Amino acid sequence: MENFKNKKSITTKSYLKPQNPVQIVLSLFIFILLLLPNYIWAGIKCLMKTRKDVRGQVVLITGSARGLGRELCLTFHQLGASIVCVDIDEEGNEITAEMIRGQGGTVRAFTLDITDREKIVSMHEAVKRELGPVDILVNNAAVVKTNIYVNSETDELVRKIIDVNILGQFWMNKEILPSMLNRNKGHIVSISSLISMIGTHSLSAYTASKWGVTGMMEALDQELNMLNSKVVLTTVCPYFMDSNEDITTNISISFPVIPLNVICNSTVDGILKNKKMFTIPGFLFLAMMFYKILPSKLQYQMQKLLGASYNYCKSDYDTLKKYQRGTTSL
């Protein structure tokens, strides 16, 4: 028993010690020394940053049948881009395409389930034949639904949310990215959510999917940096928009929902300025950083202030109580 305790103590102490403490101290010193001028220079570059020209470029947007996806299609068309509309809703997708054709734009519409990798490959081949390589991929498609974590009746909904919101983006990126890497240019955009920075009850599956999207983009950014690639990544984290009726009808939020056109214009502006990650509105990014360092009780209070109080109906309460009774009897 004594030998076991000694081994445990030694293991714990060795675990806490860095392998190269001198290098870590020097790295921290250099980091702090360079931090301030880098912040100043980053601020200057943000002020000087101009919007890139997308005239003649091919912009592929998923979830284009309605809402933010449709607005993004119309806006990029007005900027002179050729548009590829991708959505599982054939009727709504065709309406978006007709709106662009009516304005004299170049557009192709594809009815597609983005969780089907083989169909994604076929769609991409058709796009390259008809329009050329994709210059900007905007992963906007998402299932936006509320669900109570413990409600077993929503298990299929959970699967659908995860499949579309995360796997759909994985498969789209993995299909389009190689072409961008070969040309050493291109831009991949993920429409995530402010929820990817702060967990929100009654949106467990949607929250998980958006945290996954943001993490995926950060990991991919590091891999592209290792390759010295010029492919640009952008992650957009908007607050509740007025098209998210499936969520906002059941949630009391402290601030008004943001008009769809404001979300669209801010998103396009961030994309054209090659921003890596941003929230809409912008001040919420710093608010979330501050939120993370608060004690848990203060986090709950801040979350109530900034956004999320779900209005449970009687059936929701019954589900929660039934689950509570079931776990108590175990």
Side-chain angles (χ1 to χ4, degrees):
M1 179 64 73
E2 185 177 351
N3 289 336
F4 176 77
K5 288 182 178 179
N6 289 336
K7 286 182 180 179
K8 186 175 182 180
S9 175
I10 293 171
T11 303
T12 302
K13 290 180 180 179
S14 62
Y15 172 77
L16 294 174
K17 292 180 180 179
Q19 292 184 356
N20 195 334
V22 176
Q23 183 180 0
I24 290 177
V25 171
L26 287 175
S27 298
L28 287 174
F29 176 75
I30 294 173
F31 175 75
I32 294 171
L33 189 65
L34 296 177
L35 187 62
L36 184 59
N38 268 275
Y39 266 114
I40 295 173
W41 177 236
I44 293 173
K45 286 198 296 184
C46 284
L47 293 174
M48 295 172 59
K49 191 172 288 186
T50 57
R51 289 158 56 112
K52 63 185 178 183
D53 189 358
V54 295
R55 285 177 293 181
Q57 294 193 3
V58 177
V59 181
L60 190 158
I61 301 170
T62 65
S64 50
R66 64 181 62 79
L68 180 59
R70 176 176 289 174
E71 292 295 316
L72 290 171
C73 288
L74 294 171
T75 302
F76 274 109
H77 148 65
Q78 292 161 5
L79 291 170
S82 299
I83 308 301
V84 180
C85 300
V86 174
D87 202 295
I88 198 171
D89 178 0
E90 182 175 6
E91 182 179 356
N93 203 34
E94 190 55 40
I95 291 173
T96 302
E98 282 300 323
M99 293 172 71
I100 295 172
R101 292 190 190 104
Q103 297 176 11
T106 301
V107 61
R108 298 291 184 274
F110 294 88
T111 304
L112 178 68
D113 178 358
I114 62 171
T115 66
D116 189 326
R117 293 193 70 178
E118 292 183 1
K119 290 184 178 179
I120 290 175
V121 172
S122 299
M123 176 274 298
H124 188 212
E125 291 298 323
V127 171
K128 288 188 290 185
R129 285 195 308 269
E130 298 176 27
L131 297 176
V134 175
D135 296 291
I136 301 177
L137 166 63
V138 182
N139 289 299
N140 167 72
V143 177
V144 186
K145 295 284 186 180
T146 58
N147 75 292
I148 299 177
Y149 193 95
V150 301
N151 187 359
S152 60
E153 295 179 3
T154 64
D155 286 355
E156 284 304 311
L157 174 61
V158 170
R159 184 184 299 276
K160 183 178 180 180
I161 290 173
I162 298 301
D163 284 350
V164 173
N165 296 10
I166 299 182
L167 285 179
Q169 291 206 25
F170 258 104
W171 304 148
M172 289 296 298
N173 290 347
K174 288 175 76 68
E175 173 60 28
I176 305 295
L177 180 59
S179 172
M180 294 182 175
L181 290 174
N182 289 336
R183 293 176 289 130
N184 200 26
K185 66 176 183 178
H187 197 152
I188 294 179
V189 182
S190 279
I191 307 299
S192 186
S193 169
L194 190 68
I195 282 175
S196 73
M197 306 172 76
I198 175 172
T200 304
H201 63 85
S202 308
L203 289 167
S204 56
Y206 184 71
T207 298
S209 71
K210 292 304 182 180
W211 279 56
V213 164
T214 300
M216 174 193 69
M217 291 293 281
E218 287 191 7
L220 179 56
D221 182 67
Q222 291 186 20
E223 292 184 15
L224 294 180
N225 184 59
M226 292 167 60
L227 297 172
N228 293 316
S229 173
K230 292 184 179 179
V231 175
V232 180
L233 300 184
T234 294
T235 305
V236 188
C237 299
Y239 184 67
F240 295 109
M241 63 186 83
D242 58 9
S243 64
N244 291 151
E245 294 181 359
D246 288 327
I247 289 181
T248 55
T249 52
N250 289 322
I251 291 186
S252 299
I253 51 179
S254 301
F255 293 97
V257 293
I258 303 176
L260 188 59
N261 67 308
V262 173
I263 297 286
C264 177
N265 291 337
S266 298
T267 298
V268 172
D269 185 68
I271 294 171
L272 297 183
K273 290 181 178 178
N274 288 341
K275 290 184 178 180
K276 180 178 177 181
M277 181 178 182
F278 60 95
T279 60
I280 305 174
F283 73 86
L284 287 177
F285 189 88
L286 290 178
M288 290 302 99
M289 299 302 101
F290 175 71
Y291 168 87
K292 293 296 184 182
I293 65 174
L294 292 175
S296 58
K297 289 185 178 180
L298 289 180
Q299 286 184 4
Y300 298 144
Q301 294 302 318
M302 185 176 178
Q303 189 170 0
K304 288 181 181 179
L305 174 66
L306 291 178
S309 178
Y310 186 78
N311 299 320
Y312 288 109
C313 62
K314 185 178 184 302
S315 61
D316 293 333
Y317 274 114
D318 290 343
T319 299
L320 289 168
K321 290 295 184 182
K322 180 180 179 181
Y323 184 81
Q324 185 181 36
R325 288 194 296 269
T327 54
T328 302
S329 63
L330 294 179

